[in-house]
mmCIF file of all heavy atoms in Angstrom:
data_model
loop_
_atom_site.group_PDB
_atom_site.id
_atom_site.type_symbol
_atom_site.label_atom_id
_atom_site.label_comp_id
_atom_site.label_asym_id
_atom_site.label_seq_id
_atom_site.Cartn_x
_atom_site.Cartn_y
_atom_site.Cartn_z
ATOM 1 N N MET N 1 28.725 4.273 31.655
ATOM 2 C CA MET N 1 29.044 3.198 30.750
ATOM 3 C C MET N 1 28.220 3.337 29.465
ATOM 4 O O MET N 1 27.025 3.419 29.516
ATOM 5 C CB MET N 1 28.677 1.878 31.431
ATOM 6 C CG MET N 1 29.756 0.874 31.375
ATOM 7 S SD MET N 1 29.165 -0.654 32.128
ATOM 8 C CE MET N 1 30.593 -1.005 33.074
ATOM 9 N N ALA N 2 28.856 3.375 28.344
ATOM 10 C CA ALA N 2 28.156 3.499 27.069
ATOM 11 C C ALA N 2 27.840 2.114 26.527
ATOM 12 O O ALA N 2 28.681 1.228 26.525
ATOM 13 C CB ALA N 2 29.030 4.270 26.079
ATOM 14 N N SER N 3 26.605 1.943 26.109
ATOM 15 C CA SER N 3 26.234 0.648 25.529
ATOM 16 C C SER N 3 26.597 0.661 24.045
ATOM 17 O O SER N 3 26.402 1.643 23.349
ATOM 18 C CB SER N 3 24.743 0.380 25.702
ATOM 19 O OG SER N 3 23.998 1.330 24.978
ATOM 20 N N THR N 4 27.151 -0.437 23.589
ATOM 21 C CA THR N 4 27.528 -0.538 22.192
ATOM 22 C C THR N 4 26.621 -1.545 21.514
ATOM 23 O O THR N 4 26.442 -2.660 21.993
ATOM 24 C CB THR N 4 29.005 -0.976 22.045
ATOM 25 O OG1 THR N 4 29.182 -2.219 22.723
ATOM 26 C CG2 THR N 4 29.940 0.063 22.633
ATOM 27 N N MET N 5 26.026 -1.115 20.421
ATOM 28 C CA MET N 5 25.170 -1.984 19.628
ATOM 29 C C MET N 5 25.892 -2.310 18.328
ATOM 30 O O MET N 5 26.604 -1.465 17.787
ATOM 31 C CB MET N 5 23.851 -1.293 19.290
ATOM 32 C CG MET N 5 22.987 -0.937 20.459
ATOM 33 S SD MET N 5 21.601 0.037 19.883
ATOM 34 C CE MET N 5 20.304 -1.147 20.002
ATOM 35 N N GLY N 6 25.661 -3.488 17.846
ATOM 36 C CA GLY N 6 26.221 -3.848 16.559
ATOM 37 C C GLY N 6 25.470 -3.117 15.452
ATOM 38 O O GLY N 6 24.393 -2.567 15.664
ATOM 39 N N PRO N 7 26.029 -3.094 14.251
ATOM 40 C CA PRO N 7 25.373 -2.372 13.153
ATOM 41 C C PRO N 7 23.992 -2.932 12.814
ATOM 42 O O PRO N 7 23.087 -2.184 12.503
ATOM 43 C CB PRO N 7 26.325 -2.509 11.980
ATOM 44 C CG PRO N 7 27.411 -3.425 12.406
ATOM 45 C CD PRO N 7 27.300 -3.656 13.867
ATOM 46 N N LYS N 8 23.812 -4.253 12.886
ATOM 47 C CA LYS N 8 22.509 -4.848 12.576
ATOM 48 C C LYS N 8 21.467 -4.438 13.606
ATOM 49 O O LYS N 8 20.342 -4.083 13.263
ATOM 50 C CB LYS N 8 22.604 -6.379 12.520
ATOM 51 C CG LYS N 8 23.155 -6.907 11.238
ATOM 52 C CD LYS N 8 23.017 -8.409 11.200
ATOM 53 C CE LYS N 8 23.431 -8.958 9.862
ATOM 54 N NZ LYS N 8 23.257 -10.401 9.794
ATOM 55 N N ALA N 9 21.820 -4.480 14.882
ATOM 56 C CA ALA N 9 20.885 -4.115 15.946
ATOM 57 C C ALA N 9 20.513 -2.645 15.846
ATOM 58 O O ALA N 9 19.357 -2.271 16.034
ATOM 59 C CB ALA N 9 21.481 -4.432 17.305
ATOM 60 N N SER N 10 21.476 -1.808 15.533
ATOM 61 C CA SER N 10 21.220 -0.379 15.402
ATOM 62 C C SER N 10 20.287 -0.095 14.230
ATOM 63 O O SER N 10 19.365 0.702 14.335
ATOM 64 C CB SER N 10 22.540 0.354 15.216
ATOM 65 O OG SER N 10 22.324 1.721 15.041
ATOM 66 N N LEU N 11 20.513 -0.749 13.097
ATOM 67 C CA LEU N 11 19.680 -0.572 11.917
ATOM 68 C C LEU N 11 18.260 -1.050 12.185
ATOM 69 O O LEU N 11 17.290 -0.378 11.855
ATOM 70 C CB LEU N 11 20.283 -1.317 10.722
ATOM 71 C CG LEU N 11 19.519 -1.218 9.411
ATOM 72 C CD1 LEU N 11 19.459 0.230 8.939
ATOM 73 C CD2 LEU N 11 20.177 -2.089 8.361
ATOM 74 N N LYS N 12 18.131 -2.203 12.813
ATOM 75 C CA LYS N 12 16.814 -2.761 13.110
ATOM 76 C C LYS N 12 16.029 -1.836 14.042
ATOM 77 O O LYS N 12 14.848 -1.592 13.849
ATOM 78 C CB LYS N 12 16.954 -4.141 13.740
ATOM 79 C CG LYS N 12 15.638 -4.865 13.913
ATOM 80 C CD LYS N 12 15.848 -6.274 14.405
ATOM 81 C CE LYS N 12 14.530 -6.983 14.563
ATOM 82 N NZ LYS N 12 14.691 -8.342 15.046
ATOM 83 N N LYS N 13 16.689 -1.288 15.032
ATOM 84 C CA LYS N 13 16.033 -0.376 15.970
ATOM 85 C C LYS N 13 15.571 0.893 15.245
ATOM 86 O O LYS N 13 14.486 1.391 15.484
ATOM 87 C CB LYS N 13 16.981 -0.025 17.119
ATOM 88 C CG LYS N 13 16.343 0.786 18.204
ATOM 89 C CD LYS N 13 17.288 1.015 19.359
ATOM 90 C CE LYS N 13 16.610 1.815 20.451
ATOM 91 N NZ LYS N 13 17.511 2.064 21.571
ATOM 92 N N GLY N 14 16.380 1.414 14.346
ATOM 93 C CA GLY N 14 16.016 2.599 13.576
ATOM 94 C C GLY N 14 14.828 2.360 12.661
ATOM 95 O O GLY N 14 13.965 3.208 12.513
ATOM 96 N N ILE N 15 14.764 1.200 12.037
ATOM 97 C CA ILE N 15 13.656 0.867 11.147
ATOM 98 C C ILE N 15 12.364 0.723 11.943
ATOM 99 O O ILE N 15 11.322 1.233 11.547
ATOM 100 C CB ILE N 15 13.961 -0.420 10.357
ATOM 101 C CG1 ILE N 15 15.058 -0.156 9.326
ATOM 102 C CG2 ILE N 15 12.708 -0.936 9.660
ATOM 103 C CD1 ILE N 15 15.564 -1.394 8.643
ATOM 104 N N GLN N 16 12.404 0.054 13.055
ATOM 105 C CA GLN N 16 11.213 -0.152 13.869
ATOM 106 C C GLN N 16 10.675 1.173 14.399
ATOM 107 O O GLN N 16 9.481 1.356 14.523
ATOM 108 C CB GLN N 16 11.511 -1.102 15.022
ATOM 109 C CG GLN N 16 11.700 -2.528 14.574
ATOM 110 C CD GLN N 16 12.086 -3.445 15.713
ATOM 111 O OE1 GLN N 16 12.473 -2.994 16.775
ATOM 112 N NE2 GLN N 16 11.985 -4.738 15.474
ATOM 113 N N ARG N 17 11.517 2.087 14.696
ATOM 114 C CA ARG N 17 11.091 3.369 15.245
ATOM 115 C C ARG N 17 10.360 4.205 14.195
ATOM 116 O O ARG N 17 9.483 4.985 14.505
ATOM 117 C CB ARG N 17 12.310 4.121 15.763
ATOM 118 C CG ARG N 17 11.995 5.441 16.385
ATOM 119 C CD ARG N 17 13.220 6.126 16.892
ATOM 120 N NE ARG N 17 14.348 5.828 16.016
ATOM 121 C CZ ARG N 17 15.598 6.083 16.270
ATOM 122 N NH1 ARG N 17 15.926 6.655 17.391
ATOM 123 N NH2 ARG N 17 16.559 5.789 15.434
ATOM 124 N N LYS N 18 10.688 4.062 12.913
ATOM 125 C CA LYS N 18 10.128 4.900 11.861
ATOM 126 C C LYS N 18 8.833 4.358 11.268
ATOM 127 O O LYS N 18 8.245 4.994 10.408
ATOM 128 C CB LYS N 18 11.150 5.085 10.748
ATOM 129 C CG LYS N 18 12.358 5.889 11.187
ATOM 130 C CD LYS N 18 13.325 6.066 10.061
ATOM 131 C CE LYS N 18 14.539 6.829 10.530
ATOM 132 N NZ LYS N 18 15.517 7.000 9.477
ATOM 133 N N ARG N 19 8.354 3.204 11.693
ATOM 134 C CA ARG N 19 7.123 2.658 11.145
ATOM 135 C C ARG N 19 5.935 3.514 11.546
ATOM 136 O O ARG N 19 5.819 3.964 12.673
ATOM 137 C CB ARG N 19 6.896 1.233 11.644
ATOM 138 C CG ARG N 19 7.852 0.247 11.062
ATOM 139 C CD ARG N 19 7.523 -1.133 11.530
ATOM 140 N NE ARG N 19 8.475 -2.075 11.009
ATOM 141 C CZ ARG N 19 8.497 -3.348 11.323
ATOM 142 N NH1 ARG N 19 7.614 -3.822 12.172
ATOM 143 N NH2 ARG N 19 9.389 -4.150 10.810
ATOM 144 N N GLU N 20 5.055 3.758 10.590
ATOM 145 C CA GLU N 20 3.855 4.535 10.846
ATOM 146 C C GLU N 20 2.658 3.810 10.260
ATOM 147 O O GLU N 20 2.761 3.096 9.274
ATOM 148 C CB GLU N 20 3.963 5.915 10.207
ATOM 149 C CG GLU N 20 5.027 6.793 10.800
ATOM 150 C CD GLU N 20 5.089 8.145 10.123
ATOM 151 O OE1 GLU N 20 4.125 8.510 9.424
ATOM 152 O OE2 GLU N 20 6.106 8.826 10.294
ATOM 153 N N GLU N 21 1.504 4.035 10.851
ATOM 154 C CA GLU N 21 0.273 3.439 10.372
ATOM 155 C C GLU N 21 -0.259 4.263 9.205
ATOM 156 O O GLU N 21 -0.269 5.489 9.245
ATOM 157 C CB GLU N 21 -0.746 3.421 11.502
ATOM 158 C CG GLU N 21 -2.032 2.750 11.142
ATOM 159 C CD GLU N 21 -2.989 2.705 12.314
ATOM 160 O OE1 GLU N 21 -2.531 2.572 13.448
ATOM 161 O OE2 GLU N 21 -4.190 2.836 12.077
ATOM 162 N N LEU N 22 -0.721 3.591 8.158
ATOM 163 C CA LEU N 22 -1.300 4.261 7.005
ATOM 164 C C LEU N 22 -2.784 3.932 6.932
ATOM 165 O O LEU N 22 -3.174 2.785 7.089
ATOM 166 C CB LEU N 22 -0.639 3.793 5.707
ATOM 167 C CG LEU N 22 0.822 4.122 5.517
ATOM 168 C CD1 LEU N 22 1.324 3.510 4.223
ATOM 169 C CD2 LEU N 22 1.045 5.614 5.499
ATOM 170 N N ASP N 23 -3.612 4.938 6.685
ATOM 171 C CA ASP N 23 -5.043 4.729 6.512
ATOM 172 C C ASP N 23 -5.337 4.759 5.021
ATOM 173 O O ASP N 23 -5.359 5.825 4.400
ATOM 174 C CB ASP N 23 -5.831 5.810 7.249
ATOM 175 C CG ASP N 23 -7.320 5.601 7.135
ATOM 176 O OD1 ASP N 23 -7.756 4.496 6.744
ATOM 177 O OD2 ASP N 23 -8.067 6.545 7.450
ATOM 178 N N LEU N 24 -5.535 3.592 4.422
ATOM 179 C CA LEU N 24 -5.768 3.502 2.982
ATOM 180 C C LEU N 24 -7.241 3.615 2.622
ATOM 181 O O LEU N 24 -7.580 3.631 1.442
ATOM 182 C CB LEU N 24 -5.203 2.181 2.447
ATOM 183 C CG LEU N 24 -3.699 1.992 2.612
ATOM 184 C CD1 LEU N 24 -3.280 0.628 2.085
ATOM 185 C CD2 LEU N 24 -2.935 3.086 1.914
ATOM 186 N N SER N 25 -8.128 3.702 3.607
ATOM 187 C CA SER N 25 -9.557 3.764 3.315
ATOM 188 C C SER N 25 -9.938 5.059 2.603
ATOM 189 O O SER N 25 -10.912 5.098 1.865
ATOM 190 C CB SER N 25 -10.365 3.600 4.596
ATOM 191 O OG SER N 25 -10.115 4.676 5.475
ATOM 192 N N ALA N 26 -9.187 6.125 2.811
ATOM 193 C CA ALA N 26 -9.489 7.409 2.168
ATOM 194 C C ALA N 26 -8.915 7.484 0.757
ATOM 195 O O ALA N 26 -9.277 8.382 -0.003
ATOM 196 C CB ALA N 26 -8.951 8.548 3.010
ATOM 197 N N MET N 27 -8.050 6.566 0.405
ATOM 198 C CA MET N 27 -7.418 6.593 -0.910
ATOM 199 C C MET N 27 -8.158 5.673 -1.871
ATOM 200 O O MET N 27 -8.631 4.617 -1.503
ATOM 201 C CB MET N 27 -5.962 6.147 -0.809
ATOM 202 C CG MET N 27 -5.109 7.039 0.056
ATOM 203 S SD MET N 27 -3.434 6.442 0.184
ATOM 204 C CE MET N 27 -2.832 6.748 -1.446
ATOM 205 N N ARG N 28 -8.259 6.088 -3.107
ATOM 206 C CA ARG N 28 -8.862 5.249 -4.143
ATOM 207 C C ARG N 28 -7.707 4.549 -4.865
ATOM 208 O O ARG N 28 -6.957 5.178 -5.610
ATOM 209 C CB ARG N 28 -9.675 6.094 -5.103
ATOM 210 C CG ARG N 28 -10.353 5.285 -6.149
ATOM 211 C CD ARG N 28 -11.623 5.967 -6.611
ATOM 212 N NE ARG N 28 -12.217 5.188 -7.668
ATOM 213 C CZ ARG N 28 -13.291 4.433 -7.487
ATOM 214 N NH1 ARG N 28 -13.876 4.412 -6.325
ATOM 215 N NH2 ARG N 28 -13.783 3.735 -8.472
ATOM 216 N N LEU N 29 -7.571 3.251 -4.643
ATOM 217 C CA LEU N 29 -6.438 2.505 -5.188
ATOM 218 C C LEU N 29 -6.743 1.837 -6.523
ATOM 219 O O LEU N 29 -5.825 1.519 -7.281
ATOM 220 C CB LEU N 29 -5.983 1.451 -4.175
ATOM 221 C CG LEU N 29 -5.555 2.007 -2.811
ATOM 222 C CD1 LEU N 29 -5.218 0.860 -1.871
ATOM 223 C CD2 LEU N 29 -4.391 2.943 -2.953
ATOM 224 N N THR N 30 -8.021 1.605 -6.805
ATOM 225 C CA THR N 30 -8.402 0.927 -8.047
ATOM 226 C C THR N 30 -9.549 1.649 -8.739
ATOM 227 O O THR N 30 -10.307 2.386 -8.126
ATOM 228 C CB THR N 30 -8.836 -0.527 -7.781
ATOM 229 O OG1 THR N 30 -9.941 -0.527 -6.888
ATOM 230 C CG2 THR N 30 -7.706 -1.354 -7.198
ATOM 231 N N ASN N 31 -9.681 1.405 -10.031
ATOM 232 C CA ASN N 31 -10.816 1.873 -10.828
ATOM 233 C C ASN N 31 -11.544 0.647 -11.353
ATOM 234 O O ASN N 31 -10.910 -0.297 -11.833
ATOM 235 C CB ASN N 31 -10.343 2.727 -12.005
ATOM 236 C CG ASN N 31 -9.725 4.029 -11.560
ATOM 237 O OD1 ASN N 31 -10.164 4.624 -10.593
ATOM 238 N ND2 ASN N 31 -8.700 4.460 -12.268
ATOM 239 N N GLU N 32 -12.859 0.670 -11.258
ATOM 240 C CA GLU N 32 -13.662 -0.435 -11.768
ATOM 241 C C GLU N 32 -14.459 0.047 -12.973
ATOM 242 O O GLU N 32 -14.962 1.168 -12.991
ATOM 243 C CB GLU N 32 -14.639 -0.960 -10.705
ATOM 244 C CG GLU N 32 -13.982 -1.524 -9.472
ATOM 245 C CD GLU N 32 -13.660 -0.458 -8.432
ATOM 246 O OE1 GLU N 32 -14.249 0.639 -8.476
ATOM 247 O OE2 GLU N 32 -12.810 -0.728 -7.581
ATOM 248 N N SER N 33 -14.578 -0.808 -13.974
ATOM 249 C CA SER N 33 -15.364 -0.473 -15.160
ATOM 250 C C SER N 33 -15.868 -1.758 -15.800
ATOM 251 O O SER N 33 -15.524 -2.861 -15.375
ATOM 252 C CB SER N 33 -14.525 0.340 -16.147
ATOM 253 O OG SER N 33 -13.420 -0.425 -16.588
ATOM 254 N N TYR N 34 -16.698 -1.602 -16.849
ATOM 255 C CA TYR N 34 -17.247 -2.737 -17.594
ATOM 256 C C TYR N 34 -16.920 -2.546 -19.067
ATOM 257 O O TYR N 34 -16.658 -1.432 -19.519
ATOM 258 C CB TYR N 34 -18.769 -2.806 -17.414
ATOM 259 C CG TYR N 34 -19.207 -2.889 -15.972
ATOM 260 C CD1 TYR N 34 -19.714 -1.774 -15.313
ATOM 261 C CD2 TYR N 34 -19.095 -4.071 -15.268
ATOM 262 C CE1 TYR N 34 -20.113 -1.840 -13.993
ATOM 263 C CE2 TYR N 34 -19.492 -4.150 -13.940
ATOM 264 C CZ TYR N 34 -20.001 -3.032 -13.311
ATOM 265 O OH TYR N 34 -20.382 -3.101 -12.003
ATOM 266 N N PHE N 35 -16.980 -3.635 -19.834
ATOM 267 C CA PHE N 35 -16.751 -3.524 -21.275
ATOM 268 C C PHE N 35 -17.864 -2.729 -21.934
ATOM 269 O O PHE N 35 -17.631 -1.922 -22.810
ATOM 270 C CB PHE N 35 -16.643 -4.905 -21.932
ATOM 271 C CG PHE N 35 -15.269 -5.499 -21.837
ATOM 272 C CD1 PHE N 35 -15.093 -6.766 -21.334
ATOM 273 C CD2 PHE N 35 -14.155 -4.806 -22.264
ATOM 274 C CE1 PHE N 35 -13.831 -7.326 -21.246
ATOM 275 C CE2 PHE N 35 -12.883 -5.356 -22.185
ATOM 276 C CZ PHE N 35 -12.738 -6.630 -21.671
ATOM 277 N N SER N 36 -19.096 -2.962 -21.496
ATOM 278 C CA SER N 36 -20.224 -2.195 -22.020
ATOM 279 C C SER N 36 -21.149 -1.827 -20.864
ATOM 280 O O SER N 36 -21.266 -2.578 -19.893
ATOM 281 C CB SER N 36 -20.979 -3.005 -23.081
ATOM 282 O OG SER N 36 -21.521 -4.172 -22.513
ATOM 283 N N PRO N 37 -21.804 -0.667 -20.938
ATOM 284 C CA PRO N 37 -22.621 -0.187 -19.821
ATOM 285 C C PRO N 37 -23.802 -1.097 -19.468
ATOM 286 O O PRO N 37 -24.231 -1.138 -18.325
ATOM 287 C CB PRO N 37 -23.128 1.169 -20.298
ATOM 288 C CG PRO N 37 -22.339 1.515 -21.490
ATOM 289 C CD PRO N 37 -21.740 0.269 -22.022
ATOM 290 N N ASP N 38 -24.335 -1.843 -20.425
ATOM 291 C CA ASP N 38 -25.506 -2.673 -20.149
ATOM 292 C C ASP N 38 -25.155 -4.063 -19.616
ATOM 293 O O ASP N 38 -26.028 -4.788 -19.175
ATOM 294 C CB ASP N 38 -26.387 -2.788 -21.395
ATOM 295 C CG ASP N 38 -25.601 -3.249 -22.611
ATOM 296 O OD1 ASP N 38 -24.383 -3.037 -22.632
ATOM 297 O OD2 ASP N 38 -26.221 -3.813 -23.539
ATOM 298 N N ASN N 39 -23.896 -4.445 -19.625
ATOM 299 C CA ASN N 39 -23.467 -5.739 -19.082
ATOM 300 C C ASN N 39 -22.625 -5.516 -17.830
ATOM 301 O O ASN N 39 -21.717 -4.688 -17.825
ATOM 302 C CB ASN N 39 -22.626 -6.518 -20.098
ATOM 303 C CG ASN N 39 -23.447 -6.986 -21.263
ATOM 304 O OD1 ASN N 39 -24.637 -7.241 -21.135
ATOM 305 N ND2 ASN N 39 -22.817 -7.097 -22.416
ATOM 306 N N THR N 40 -22.934 -6.261 -16.770
ATOM 307 C CA THR N 40 -22.169 -6.109 -15.525
ATOM 308 C C THR N 40 -21.018 -7.099 -15.428
ATOM 309 O O THR N 40 -20.278 -7.084 -14.456
ATOM 310 C CB THR N 40 -23.090 -6.287 -14.304
ATOM 311 O OG1 THR N 40 -23.726 -7.552 -14.384
ATOM 312 C CG2 THR N 40 -24.136 -5.185 -14.256
ATOM 313 N N LEU N 41 -20.874 -7.937 -16.417
ATOM 314 C CA LEU N 41 -19.743 -8.862 -16.461
ATOM 315 C C LEU N 41 -19.062 -8.736 -17.804
ATOM 316 O O LEU N 41 -19.730 -8.566 -18.815
ATOM 317 C CB LEU N 41 -20.207 -10.305 -16.242
ATOM 318 C CG LEU N 41 -20.666 -10.639 -14.827
ATOM 319 C CD1 LEU N 41 -21.210 -12.063 -14.787
ATOM 320 C CD2 LEU N 41 -19.567 -10.469 -13.821
ATOM 321 N N PRO N 42 -17.810 -8.815 -17.925
ATOM 322 C CA PRO N 42 -16.811 -8.933 -16.859
ATOM 323 C C PRO N 42 -16.543 -7.577 -16.211
ATOM 324 O O PRO N 42 -16.625 -6.523 -16.847
ATOM 325 C CB PRO N 42 -15.568 -9.441 -17.570
ATOM 326 C CG PRO N 42 -15.689 -8.898 -18.958
ATOM 327 C CD PRO N 42 -17.180 -8.877 -19.257
ATOM 328 N N LEU N 43 -16.206 -7.618 -14.967
ATOM 329 C CA LEU N 43 -15.798 -6.426 -14.233
ATOM 330 C C LEU N 43 -14.297 -6.237 -14.445
ATOM 331 O O LEU N 43 -13.503 -7.150 -14.262
ATOM 332 C CB LEU N 43 -16.087 -6.600 -12.741
ATOM 333 C CG LEU N 43 -15.608 -5.490 -11.816
ATOM 334 C CD1 LEU N 43 -16.309 -4.185 -12.156
ATOM 335 C CD2 LEU N 43 -15.834 -5.865 -10.375
ATOM 336 N N ILE N 44 -13.913 -5.047 -14.859
ATOM 337 C CA ILE N 44 -12.508 -4.734 -15.114
ATOM 338 C C ILE N 44 -11.992 -3.890 -13.958
ATOM 339 O O ILE N 44 -12.551 -2.840 -13.647
ATOM 340 C CB ILE N 44 -12.346 -3.970 -16.437
ATOM 341 C CG1 ILE N 44 -12.924 -4.798 -17.587
ATOM 342 C CG2 ILE N 44 -10.877 -3.621 -16.681
ATOM 343 C CD1 ILE N 44 -13.096 -4.030 -18.858
ATOM 344 N N ILE N 45 -10.949 -4.356 -13.325
ATOM 345 C CA ILE N 45 -10.332 -3.640 -12.195
ATOM 346 C C ILE N 45 -8.925 -3.264 -12.594
ATOM 347 O O ILE N 45 -8.120 -4.127 -12.970
ATOM 348 C CB ILE N 45 -10.333 -4.500 -10.925
ATOM 349 C CG1 ILE N 45 -11.758 -4.898 -10.576
ATOM 350 C CG2 ILE N 45 -9.653 -3.766 -9.777
ATOM 351 C CD1 ILE N 45 -11.871 -5.868 -9.422
ATOM 352 N N GLN N 46 -8.616 -1.962 -12.520
ATOM 353 C CA GLN N 46 -7.299 -1.464 -12.908
ATOM 354 C C GLN N 46 -6.728 -0.601 -11.789
ATOM 355 O O GLN N 46 -7.497 0.024 -11.050
ATOM 356 C CB GLN N 46 -7.393 -0.633 -14.175
ATOM 357 C CG GLN N 46 -7.864 -1.427 -15.388
ATOM 358 C CD GLN N 46 -8.021 -0.548 -16.595
ATOM 359 O OE1 GLN N 46 -8.598 0.531 -16.523
ATOM 360 N NE2 GLN N 46 -7.500 -1.004 -17.728
ATOM 361 N N PRO N 47 -5.400 -0.520 -11.677
ATOM 362 C CA PRO N 47 -4.803 0.376 -10.677
ATOM 363 C C PRO N 47 -5.172 1.824 -10.975
ATOM 364 O O PRO N 47 -5.254 2.232 -12.126
ATOM 365 C CB PRO N 47 -3.301 0.164 -10.843
ATOM 366 C CG PRO N 47 -3.144 -1.046 -11.685
ATOM 367 C CD PRO N 47 -4.401 -1.264 -12.422
ATOM 368 N N ALA N 48 -5.399 2.610 -9.945
ATOM 369 C CA ALA N 48 -5.768 4.008 -10.119
ATOM 370 C C ALA N 48 -4.559 4.882 -10.427
ATOM 371 O O ALA N 48 -4.701 5.946 -11.012
ATOM 372 C CB ALA N 48 -6.470 4.522 -8.872
ATOM 373 N N MET N 49 -3.363 4.432 -10.076
ATOM 374 C CA MET N 49 -2.155 5.233 -10.284
ATOM 375 C C MET N 49 -1.425 4.767 -11.532
ATOM 376 O O MET N 49 -1.445 3.586 -11.873
ATOM 377 C CB MET N 49 -1.244 5.136 -9.067
ATOM 378 C CG MET N 49 -1.890 5.665 -7.837
ATOM 379 S SD MET N 49 -0.882 5.838 -6.343
ATOM 380 C CE MET N 49 0.365 4.655 -6.473
ATOM 381 N N GLU N 50 -0.791 5.692 -12.187
ATOM 382 C CA GLU N 50 0.021 5.375 -13.362
ATOM 383 C C GLU N 50 1.325 4.725 -12.930
ATOM 384 O O GLU N 50 1.867 5.045 -11.873
ATOM 385 C CB GLU N 50 0.329 6.662 -14.142
ATOM 386 C CG GLU N 50 -0.869 7.342 -14.728
ATOM 387 C CD GLU N 50 -1.369 6.677 -15.977
ATOM 388 O OE1 GLU N 50 -0.551 6.157 -16.753
ATOM 389 O OE2 GLU N 50 -2.596 6.678 -16.188
ATOM 390 N N GLY N 51 1.835 3.844 -13.764
ATOM 391 C CA GLY N 51 3.162 3.294 -13.504
ATOM 392 C C GLY N 51 3.099 1.987 -12.962
ATOM 393 O O GLY N 51 3.592 1.221 -12.387
#
């Protein structure tokens, strides 16, 4: 007997199967800087990637 799944159930099962864990601790996601080297405020945080 072949089991029949609806299109939504099939899609959901496919998406759940492809999920993977990502380790973001090794990636540098932001750059931090200051307006001037002698002042620690304000801290400027910018994305590390272009776009």
Side-chain angles (χ1 to χ4, degrees):
M1 229 183 224
S3 64
T4 57
M5 297 173 106
K8 280 188 174 182
S10 178
L11 180 62
K12 188 174 180 180
K13 186 176 181 181
I15 290 172
Q16 288 176 345
R17 181 179 34 191
K18 293 181 182 179
R19 289 183 182 175
E20 294 180 17
E21 183 178 326
L22 295 177
D23 182 15
L24 298 178
S25 64
M27 298 178 70
R28 182 151 177 105
L29 301 176
T30 59
N31 293 324
E32 298 86 20
S33 62
Y34 304 103
F35 276 128
S36 62
D38 53 335
N39 291 330
T40 57
L41 289 175
L43 175 63
I44 302 167
I45 302 174
Q46 297 177 314
M49 298 188 333
E50 296 282 326

